Amino acid sequence: MDNAPHTSPADFYLHRDDCAQGLGDRLLTDAEARRTLAAPDTVLPCPVCRPDTVLRRVS
């Protein structure tokens, strides 16, 4: 059995502000969130709250 820690392909998930999965207290503007999601090797949208769908619909 593999005892190595399981990591996501990204270092962080980006959450909507009402997501129970999010633990941070730093809120991004829509423009900051779009730029952040443009670097998928660092940040991925949360698979629970899917902020990318909201940001796409608003733009």
Side-chain angles (χ1 to χ4, degrees):
M1 176 164 274
D2 181 13
N3 290 329
H6 298 280
T7 58
S8 88
D11 295 331
F12 302 100
Y13 282 118
L14 183 69
H15 301 275
R16 291 172 46 184
D17 61 349
D18 60 347
C19 182
Q21 302 295 315
L23 300 174
D25 57 355
R26 166 75 166 100
L27 297 177
L28 301 177
T29 66
D30 286 352
E32 289 173 325
R34 285 186 190 98
R35 280 194 304 272
T36 301
L37 288 171
D41 56 327
T42 305
V43 176
L44 290 175
C46 170
V48 175
C49 67
R50 297 305 306 230
D52 53 328
T53 59
V54 175
L55 290 170
R56 234 181 294 143
R57 190 175 56 218
V58 172
S59 53

